[in-house]
Amino acid sequence: MKIAVIGTGYVGLVTGTCLAESGNDVVCVDNNARKVETLNAGGIPIYEPGLEELVKQNRRDGRLSFTTDLAKAVRAARIVFIAVGTPQSDAGDADLSAVWAVSDAIGDALRDVPAGPPGSRIVVVKSTVPVGTNRGVVERLTAKGCGHVDAASNPEFLKEGAAINDFMKPDRVVVGVRRPEVAEVLRELYAPFLRTERPFLVMSPESSEMTKYAANAMLATKISFINEMANLCDRVGADINDVRKGMGHDQRIGFQFLFPGPGYGGSCFPKDVQAIIAMGRRTNLPLKLMESVDEVNVDQKQVLFGKMKYHFGSTLAGKTIAVWGLAFKPQTDDIREAPALALIDKLLDAGAKLRVHDPEAMPNVRAIYGDKLTYCDGPYGAIEGADALAIVTEWKAYQNPDFDMMKKLLAKPLIFDGRNIYDEKTMANLGYTYYAIGRGKKAY
Ligand code: NAD
């Protein structure tokens, strides 16, 4: 099938590439000319494991190309995906300006194209958008004389860091349509990815749009829940790691998304929780649980700093702190809403000096902080002479380090572990002072 994907970011580039990989003819469009230039020169503007090879191969095979020419790509396509960003607006709601701009541009491009039978032209909104957006897209297309063009909702559930695998082997595909013919076209498109009997769920666009927010709201809730339990563990002398296991083996609960940490970040959970709260507000239904989930998370981003303040007291100024892990999670270079940035801001405010390391995200962090931080090539370089190490993102490279060597490099054997990746007893035996999250140690 001929496909255009508008917006070539984490979602659009993965979507376009995976659809090309399954034999479709895909043109990815972006209004960021530099991004398109990079892609056309064989580069990849983001870090996502496995993506570079797949892009290269599909470009070579002639199934994948990149352009800034939206109108040309849209006119040639049977299916047009909208995968532009929907960041948080100042009011907390999703900022849909890019979605509306692209919808209008699609309408302009298709205005003179003769209408075909149902399902012959489909605009699919893949961006995460509030309920009612699909209707808005239809209204905009109709206003441009494109009432014959179908609009579907097809939220994306991929995780950065495992995006290719998630797209290729989704737990489910959700589509929201108004006509069965449209669902059938999308079913055909997704069939290669659903060979293992994964469900293709057809519903109304409203339910489909809501599904994405409900799913992210649930995941964010689990994280804030376990973080709150962890903080209580610290106060009552329990160990969240044991508690987590004791809970998780209950099959009604399970283990997924029950790891305490320094708060959730990334380009989805924080803004999607805000957007669902805004949806509630618009309909006069205060979403009290969601408001608390957000509040707990905002506080959780300060927990690691709180432990440092507890340890150092007023002597934090002038101390050198090493930070391992800047991306909001491992296997990505994405630092949007990353907990590491909240910690860095607090430490800079307190007058600390920072030596930072991340395998992939340092260029993005440097673009924000410039020479306020010392960027180190390797994790061991970062801890040289540091008064303490803070671990914020659990990259594999940090999980089994040489603790003896670290002891020699650090000015003091002191670790604040925001991801609970080390064993407390081992650390104590090695002579480290070790603070983690919810392990029953007083640090508040
Ligand atoms: P992103 O910021 O990485 O990419 C968006 C791209 O759209 C950018 O390259 C930008 O230049 C381009 N763009 C913006 N306006 C444009 C326009 N008018 N014309 C053409 N291109 C335009 O965003 P993302 O992380 O890929 O997220 C996209 C959507 O998918 C969001 O709604 C997000 O909530 C949702 N989503 C993201 C993830 C994720 O893990 N990142 C997962 C599921 C869903």
Side-chain angles (χ1 to χ4, degrees):
M1 258 185 260
K2 282 193 178 297
I3 314 273
V5 180
I6 321 295
T8 310
Y10 287 87
V11 166
L13 184 55
V14 169
T15 300
T17 306
C18 292
L19 290 175
E21 176 71 8
S22 63
N24 297 290
D25 185 352
V26 181
V27 181
C28 288
V29 181
D30 209 285
N31 64 354
N32 180 335
R34 235 183 42 196
K35 210 174 233 192
V36 171
E37 233 168 71
T38 302
L39 287 158
N40 277 329
I44 299 283
I46 55 169
Y47 173 73
E48 181 61 45
L51 186 58
E52 189 167 358
E53 299 74 48
L54 221 52
V55 169
K56 220 178 257 171
Q57 192 183 313
N58 282 283
R59 281 187 71 223
R60 205 181 42 225
D61 294 347
R63 289 191 299 266
L64 180 63
S65 60
F66 303 98
T67 183
T68 52
D69 190 343
L70 181 144
K72 189 171 167 209
V74 164
R75 274 198 287 267
R78 178 172 188 191
I79 303 180
V80 181
F81 281 94
I82 300 181
V84 295
T86 49
Q88 193 178 317
S89 73
D90 290 341
D93 208 343
D95 176 351
L96 293 177
S97 51
V99 172
W100 299 143
V102 168
S103 304
D104 289 343
I106 294 170
D108 286 334
L110 294 180
R111 195 196 297 269
D112 306 325
V113 176
S120 54
R121 291 260 178 197
I122 309 172
V123 173
V124 182
V125 180
K126 201 162 236 332
S127 302
T128 303
V129 291
V131 177
T133 306
N134 181 274
R135 208 169 281 285
V137 170
V138 171
E139 280 166 14
R140 281 174 183 257
L141 290 173
T142 306
K144 297 276 182 187
C146 297
H148 57 284
V149 174
D150 286 291
S153 158
N154 170 222
E156 182 50 57
F157 298 97
L158 63 76
K159 301 181 289 294
E160 287 176 24
I164 304 278
N165 192 57
D166 286 350
F167 194 95
M168 296 285 200
K169 296 177 191 160
D171 288 341
R172 77 307 206 182
V173 169
V174 171
V175 298
V177 296
R178 302 215 189 270
R179 294 203 270 196
E181 294 90 338
V182 176
E184 287 320 303
V185 176
L186 295 175
R187 192 192 298 276
E188 194 188 319
L189 182 71
Y190 276 108
F193 308 105
L194 298 170
R195 290 242 153 82
T196 49
E197 302 306 321
R198 295 298 187 185
F200 180 80
L201 303 172
V202 181
M203 53 188 81
S204 71
E206 288 71 27
S207 300
S208 167
E209 290 167 338
M210 186 64 200
T211 298
K212 174 65 191 178
Y213 282 108
N216 274 0
M218 179 71 194
L219 295 171
T221 301
K222 286 179 100 173
I223 297 174
S224 278
F225 170 82
I226 200 71
N227 283 336
E228 195 159 72
M229 292 303 112
N231 296 340
L232 186 58
C233 282
D234 271 339
R235 280 160 174 76
V236 297
D239 184 338
I240 191 66
N241 213 22
D242 290 332
V243 173
R244 189 181 63 78
K245 287 182 201 157
M247 286 170 59
H249 281 290
D250 185 326
Q251 291 185 15
R252 295 168 301 178
I253 298 173
F255 286 101
Q256 291 210 355
F257 268 74
L258 285 182
F259 287 95
Y264 59 74
S267 65
C268 292
F269 291 171
K271 78 165 173 65
D272 292 351
V273 167
Q274 285 297 330
I276 201 170
I277 290 170
M279 262 193 275
R281 223 176 12 240
R282 265 204 313 277
T283 56
N284 279 329
L285 180 73
L287 299 187
K288 295 177 196 161
L289 181 57
M290 289 302 105
E291 279 168 15
S292 298
V293 164
D294 179 59
E295 212 175 300
V296 167
N297 192 58
V298 169
D299 289 351
Q300 194 66 16
K301 287 187 171 174
Q302 305 302 331
V303 163
L304 218 44
F305 178 74
K307 287 174 194 279
M308 291 183 179
K309 247 179 64 189
Y310 171 84
H311 181 91
F312 287 110
S314 56
T315 67
L316 197 46
K319 289 279 185 299
T320 299
I321 309 292
V323 179
W324 281 2
L326 306 171
F328 85 94
K329 66 176 187 174
Q331 299 292 98
T332 182
D333 61 348
D334 197 342
I335 58 165
R336 289 178 280 188
E337 304 287 330
L341 305 192
L343 178 66
I344 287 171
D345 289 340
K346 277 285 188 186
L347 287 170
L348 287 176
D349 276 355
K353 294 185 207 114
L354 296 178
R355 298 174 63 77
V356 302
H357 175 263
D358 188 283
E360 297 296 336
M362 290 218 285
N364 289 340
V365 172
R366 195 192 291 267
I368 297 176
Y369 290 94
D371 57 10
K372 285 189 192 148
L373 313 176
T374 303
Y375 305 90
C376 303
D377 287 339
Y380 294 126
I383 61 174
E384 249 185 281
D387 296 289
L389 163 65
I391 301 170
V392 191
T393 315
E394 69 280 30
W395 285 91
K396 282 228 164 56
Y398 306 148
Q399 305 219 356
N400 251 333
D402 181 338
F403 290 116
D404 291 327
M405 180 161 86
M406 285 169 66
K407 231 170 131 180
K408 289 182 195 132
L409 290 171
L410 281 161
K412 297 232 171 56
L414 172 59
I415 296 180
F416 296 87
D417 179 357
R419 298 289 178 174
N420 291 357
I421 57 178
Y422 304 141
D423 178 61
E424 286 220 289
K425 282 202 189 93
T426 309
M427 299 310 287
N429 290 341
L430 288 166
Y432 280 87
T433 304
Y434 179 64
Y435 293 90
I437 308 277
R439 310 299 294 273
K441 185 171 186 155
K442 186 171 177 353
Y444 51 88

